[in-house]
Amino acid sequence: MEPDRRKRYIVLFFSVIYLSVLVFKIFITIENAEFIGINARNTAEITNLLQTKQNFSFIAVGNVMNSINIFKDRMIPMINDSDADFVVFTGNFILDGSNDKYAALDRSLILLKKPALFVIGEREVTDDGADHFFHHMGNPFFFFNAGNTLFIFMDTTGYSNESLQMQWITELLENADEPSRRIVFTNRSLPDKNYKELISEKKYMMSEMFRKDLLALFSRTKVLAVVSGSTGVSDRKTIEGTRYISTGGGGGIVETSTTNGKPFYYTQITVDGDTVSTEDSILPDTGTTAETSILLWIWNKLYSWIYISFLNILLIISISFAIVYTLYNWLVLRINYYPDLNAATPKGYKLTIAMFTNNYLPFVGGVPVSIVRLKEGLERLGHTVYIFAPAYENSPAEEDEHVIRFKPLFHYRKDGLIVPVSNIFSARIKKEFRKINPDIVHVHHPFWLGSSGRRLARIFRKPVVFTYHTRIEQYNHYVPIFHNLAGGQIPHLIIKHFASSCDAVIAPTTSAKRYLRNLGIGKLIIVQPTGVDPDPTINLQISLPAPKGKILFSVFRLSNEKNPYFLIDGIAELDKQTKQPFTCYIAGSGPEEASMKQYIAEKKLEGRIVLLGSVKPADIASYYKLADLFIFSSLSETQGMVILEAMAGGLPVVAVNSSGITDVVQNGVNGFKTEADITDWVNKIRTILEDDSLRLKMSRNARSYAEKYSMDAMSRNILDMYYEIIEWKKKHPEQVFIR
């Protein structure tokens, strides 16, 4: 059998054991559901039993602690053969208060033929067991009358409220009818002043004041006998007419309890009128020596614990084995962490690529345009690209069959922005993913559908690539309520966590790559700007309204993160400083459009600045051809894709320096980049505007620079990375791919 298959079978085997034991535990719990209200049920039986009897006897058993070897197999037959009327367990009848210990007790009590009552002890209140005692046995302190005898059961563990108990038992004893016999059952032995030394680090413990108050009350109200059993010692005392009987042993947990030098296991108490007599029952001598008795005692404890906890032991063994086996296989796994320098990466075979994006056409923006260009470039190279994207209100009725749309849960609307929020929990996403079975997953956002893509890549063991498109901290004003948080550290943590969980990251610029490295992302990061079409189709019918002089052009979404009012203020300043006639045209729409129109009017710039509104992406290149200079003021760009497009159209650029600008614009070569200073920005525009020879030189340089970033070159570069990651993950699934 293959090693990997053998490992799977071994893990499966122990998983089956784990599940089987778990189901069995559930079955036991359900079966044990009838084991409730035992004290109330057996009280009624004992009352009927003693109705016509003046004299009776009962057996007091202490410290059973779920013993199987001694209590169940040897003591119960002796108790059944005795002439006792009933049995009282004086506490510590289970190992701890967990529910499965009660289930084991129930299986033992099935063999007991006499009615039994239970006193709550220190073992019963461990592991939150008091609730289980209440469920299975009943109230921790109660009383009943039978055969002219008042039987009272107390809680001396310290769990129940002692002042409440004291008030209850005082009223009960002082108002009891005479001449009734009074017998009290406790877990703790009241005459034992040093009982605290018998327990260590217990959560509950009877107070010294409560003990003294009970002793005084029992003497004052002439209690006939007080029966207890937690000390593990056979003890008989009479204090002011009240007999105090402590029974030890029980269940093989025999420590100092002896009768005539032999360990005893329970006490039979006979009540004849006002006379109380006791007899300790001893198991038959097995002829063992002192040494073998110690070994037998250890075996009894171990046997009882294993018998009661065998389900838990099986669970622990199966889980421990699975952990150890998995850890062992990981430790002995031989992995060559050194790269195979001689291995060539196979290329040329056709890929199926699944891309996940939160926005796509017909939404106009940098991310959708970037995805469309990469998709078209990869398809021209013969590969298949599927787009997982949200459906829009104006989505085309007929669309590329490789674009898979998902109906939104709702549309988020703010300041003119309409964003469909897809149902990422839709089963259809996984169904479509499984159907196409991609070779690689490419996600374009670190959340929502992007997270779905990464999750499916993990499930189906596909490599996943992430493109860092957007400085999401710059868009915090779109986040409802928590604007400050969305503009602080949280966006950076989201990017860090998401990118680190992918196999590779695409950064549009070198500065974006530095940002990702500063976050601590150690995965492969390649720098690849969005490709541009150096020879786009020009619409000759496109024209600009009422141009005057040189034409300045800009295109961006009319929103605050694009810094639009800086641009308007700059044009106002330029109008004052230059005699060169010019008109500035701005293409785009957005939530600030109305405010910008009003601001332009206030500045009296209607003749200088013209808002063109929304322009089809296919027509933008035509406007570049009509313009003389491209200006840009945004501070939120990761790559400034429109900068490269403008350069491809032969336009020099003047832009405010930011992470997406600094790697593209070369000062004095293809344009200028400035700080966010209006004076400096205006001076650079004026320099190009008034110097035709410089403008033409920069125009040629801009065109030459943009040709390096064609759509085909971008697609080939990303495709090469796809091949590398796919092949690496096949050979080295445990390793991080870095080059």
Side-chain angles (χ1 to χ4, degrees):
M1 186 183 294
E2 298 176 5
D4 287 343
R5 183 177 296 179
R6 184 173 64 250
K7 292 177 185 178
R8 287 197 295 270
Y9 283 153
I10 292 175
V11 173
L12 178 62
F13 172 73
F14 278 92
S15 298
V16 170
I17 290 179
Y18 173 81
L19 292 174
S20 299
V21 172
L22 195 61
V23 170
F24 191 50
K25 281 176 73 71
I26 294 172
F27 171 76
I28 287 177
T29 302
I30 295 173
E31 187 185 50
N32 190 228
E34 295 299 321
F35 182 47
I36 58 175
I38 296 300
N39 280 341
R41 186 188 310 165
N42 289 342
T43 292
E45 185 177 348
I46 294 170
T47 300
N48 291 332
L49 188 65
L50 301 185
Q51 188 173 7
T52 58
K53 300 181 67 172
Q54 293 297 316
N55 305 321
F56 59 88
S57 69
F58 62 90
I59 289 173
V61 184
N63 298 345
V64 171
M65 288 190 270
N66 282 128
S67 171
I68 305 306
N69 181 267
I70 298 297
F71 172 67
K72 181 181 177 182
D73 296 341
R74 302 182 65 186
M75 288 175 60
I76 286 182
M78 291 177 61
I79 293 173
N80 288 337
D81 291 339
S82 72
D83 59 355
D85 296 294
F86 59 94
V87 182
V88 176
F89 293 87
T90 57
N92 297 339
F93 46 83
I94 53 178
L95 277 172
D96 57 61
S98 62
N99 208 38
D100 56 343
K101 305 305 187 300
Y102 280 95
L105 175 68
D106 184 32
R107 293 196 294 275
S108 298
L109 293 178
I110 292 174
L111 304 176
L112 187 64
K113 297 179 181 178
K114 300 181 184 296
L117 299 175
F118 296 85
V119 178
I120 190 169
E122 64 180 60
R123 293 279 181 171
E124 283 73 56
V125 296
T126 60
D127 296 333
D128 298 320
D131 289 339
H132 295 146
F133 182 93
F134 189 88
H135 175 74
H136 294 294
M137 304 303 174
N139 200 309
F141 55 96
F142 66 98
F143 77 95
F144 70 98
N145 284 288
N148 196 33
T149 303
L150 175 64
F151 296 94
I152 303 173
F153 288 72
M154 299 290 298
D155 177 3
T156 54
T157 65
Y159 172 78
S160 299
N161 185 282
E162 291 180 344
S163 61
L164 179 64
Q165 277 197 94
M166 196 66 209
Q167 179 181 356
W168 169 78
I169 194 171
T170 299
E171 293 179 358
L172 181 64
L173 289 173
E174 290 181 347
N175 297 324
D177 295 333
E178 297 288 352
S180 65
R181 293 172 295 198
R182 297 121 185 248
I183 300 177
V184 178
F185 297 92
T186 67
N187 176 241
R188 287 292 174 194
S189 175
L190 299 179
D192 185 5
K193 295 182 180 180
N194 299 319
Y195 78 93
K196 291 184 180 180
E197 298 176 2
L198 299 174
I199 57 177
S200 60
E201 299 180 358
K202 300 298 181 184
K203 182 177 180 181
Y204 301 108
M205 184 172 15
M206 178 176 61
S207 70
E208 180 68 9
M209 180 180 293
F210 188 47
R211 185 183 74 86
K212 290 180 178 179
D213 288 345
L214 287 177
L215 285 170
L217 176 66
F218 295 160
S219 297
R220 188 173 73 251
T221 55
K222 299 179 182 180
V223 170
L224 181 63
V226 178
V227 182
S228 59
S230 67
T231 61
V233 179
S234 174
D235 190 29
R236 311 287 183 267
K237 286 185 175 69
T238 300
I239 301 176
E240 297 182 5
T242 299
R243 290 289 306 275
Y244 288 88
I245 303 167
S246 179
T247 179
I253 314 298
V254 181
E255 298 169 359
T256 59
S257 309
T258 59
T259 297
N260 299 325
K262 296 181 179 181
F264 76 93
Y265 291 89
Y266 61 81
T267 299
Q268 182 163 342
I269 301 169
T270 301
V271 179
D272 185 355
D274 291 335
T275 302
V276 177
S277 59
T278 63
E279 179 183 359
D280 293 331
S281 294
I282 303 169
L283 291 180
D285 191 352
T286 57
T288 57
T289 63
E291 291 78 8
T292 56
S293 293
I294 294 174
L295 294 176
L296 181 61
W297 177 79
I298 294 174
W299 167 247
N300 287 336
K301 270 196 166 184
L302 185 62
Y303 179 74
S304 297
W305 181 72
I306 292 176
Y307 182 89
I308 300 305
S309 304
F310 74 100
L311 291 177
N312 293 336
I313 292 171
L314 279 178
L315 283 174
I316 293 171
I317 289 175
S318 61
I319 294 172
S320 300
F321 178 85
I323 293 173
V324 171
Y325 185 76
T326 303
L327 182 62
Y328 173 80
N329 279 283
W330 178 75
L331 290 173
V332 301
L333 185 65
R334 296 180 180 272
I335 301 175
N336 180 16
Y337 287 100
Y338 288 90
D340 187 356
L341 300 177
N342 297 320
T345 301
K347 298 180 181 179
Y349 58 91
K350 302 307 178 185
L351 297 180
T352 299
I353 303 135
M355 293 189 180
F356 287 78
T357 176
N358 291 341
N359 49 52
Y360 193 63
L361 300 179
F363 178 83
V364 177
V367 175
V369 171
S370 177
I371 295 172
V372 167
R373 290 178 182 176
L374 178 58
K375 179 179 184 294
E376 291 175 352
L378 291 170
E379 288 175 340
R380 280 198 295 270
L381 294 173
H383 305 280
T384 303
V385 181
Y386 288 88
I387 306 294
F388 288 71
Y392 289 82
E393 293 174 336
N394 58 341
S395 294
E398 295 183 4
E399 191 171 37
D400 183 346
E401 62 179 352
H402 292 160
V403 177
I404 304 171
R405 301 279 187 176
F406 299 96
K407 292 182 179 180
L409 291 171
F410 61 92
H411 288 84
Y412 174 70
R413 304 171 190 269
K414 183 177 175 62
D415 299 332
L417 178 70
I418 303 175
V419 178
V421 179
S422 299
N423 179 12
I424 61 173
F425 304 105
S426 170
R428 181 168 168 256
I429 298 177
K430 186 175 183 179
K431 179 180 178 182
E432 295 290 344
F433 188 92
R434 183 188 285 112
K435 185 190 301 182
I436 66 175
N437 189 27
D439 298 291
I440 193 166
V441 177
H442 192 153
V443 294
H444 294 272
H445 295 90
F447 49 85
W448 217 245
L449 277 175
S451 296
S452 290
R454 182 189 61 178
R455 179 177 57 83
L456 289 171
R458 286 177 177 174
I459 293 174
F460 291 94
R461 298 182 179 274
K462 306 293 183 181
V464 58
V465 175
F466 166 54
T467 293
Y468 170 61
H469 285 286
T470 308
R471 295 183 60 179
I472 57 177
E473 76 279 3
Q474 296 286 344
Y475 291 76
N476 65 310
H477 52 280
Y478 289 115
V479 177
I481 304 174
F482 303 106
H483 310 295
N484 292 333
L485 287 175
Q489 289 298 312
I490 291 178
H492 305 298
L493 294 175
I494 291 173
I495 294 292
K496 178 181 179 179
H497 172 73
F498 189 86
S500 297
S501 66
C502 297
D503 296 298
V505 182
I506 299 172
T509 60
T510 302
S511 57
K513 178 178 179 179
R514 290 172 183 161
Y515 160 76
L516 295 171
R517 288 292 185 224
N518 285 337
L519 288 181
I521 297 167
K523 297 297 180 71
L524 168 70
I525 303 176
I526 68 166
V527 177
Q528 179 58 62
T530 297
V532 296
D533 186 354
D535 297 303
T537 302
I538 303 300
N539 186 350
L540 298 178
Q541 296 181 356
I542 293 292
S543 62
L544 291 169
K548 296 177 182 179
K550 294 289 193 296
I551 296 174
L552 309 183
F553 185 64
S554 190
V555 55
F556 57 86
R557 188 169 184 275
L558 307 187
S559 54
N560 279 323
E561 69 273 5
K562 300 300 183 179
N563 204 18
Y565 300 103
F566 178 96
L567 186 147
I568 296 172
D569 290 338
I571 295 300
E573 187 64 27
L574 178 65
D575 188 41
K576 296 176 184 178
Q577 294 187 17
T578 185
K579 295 181 181 180
Q580 172 69 49
F582 71 90
T583 306
C584 175
Y585 295 90
I586 300 174
S589 61
E592 292 298 311
E593 186 169 357
S595 297
M596 287 175 63
K597 286 181 179 179
Q598 182 178 351
Y599 194 65
I600 290 168
E602 291 173 359
K603 292 282 187 178
K604 295 182 171 52
L605 295 172
E606 292 95 333
R608 289 297 188 193
I609 301 177
V610 179
L611 300 183
L612 299 174
S614 181
V615 175
K616 295 179 181 179
D619 291 337
I620 291 293
S622 303
Y623 287 98
Y624 292 142
K625 287 296 183 181
L626 295 173
D628 298 290
L629 175 63
F630 189 82
I631 60 174
F632 206 57
S633 60
S634 173
L635 293 170
S636 65
E637 305 305 303
T638 55
Q639 63 172 313
M641 184 168 58
V642 293
I643 301 294
L644 275 176
E645 291 177 344
M647 289 182 178
L651 294 183
V653 175
V654 177
V656 175
N657 198 15
S658 67
S659 59
I661 304 300
T662 188
D663 301 311
V664 179
V665 179
Q666 299 170 308
N667 266 329
V669 179
N670 55 13
F672 292 108
K673 51 190 173 185
T674 75
E675 297 303 316
D677 177 77
I678 287 180
T679 302
D680 188 20
W681 190 69
V682 169
N683 285 339
K684 293 300 188 291
I685 294 175
R686 182 182 173 188
T687 298
I688 298 176
L689 202 60
E690 295 177 351
D691 189 338
D692 287 341
S693 61
L694 176 63
R695 180 174 55 80
L696 293 173
K697 178 183 176 181
M698 286 186 170
S699 176
R700 290 191 295 269
N701 292 339
R703 169 73 181 180
S704 176
Y705 183 87
E707 287 176 348
K708 301 175 185 177
Y709 299 97
S710 68
M711 293 168 58
D712 289 340
M714 170 192 69
S715 302
R716 283 192 294 270
N717 290 341
I718 292 179
L719 185 62
D720 287 343
M721 182 196 65
Y722 286 166
Y723 281 129
E724 282 188 286
I725 295 172
I726 291 170
E727 294 303 320
W728 180 272
K729 293 291 285 186
K730 287 179 182 177
K731 298 176 183 177
H732 314 282
E734 301 86 5
Q735 297 182 33
V736 175
F737 178 61
I738 300 175
R739 65 167 167 79

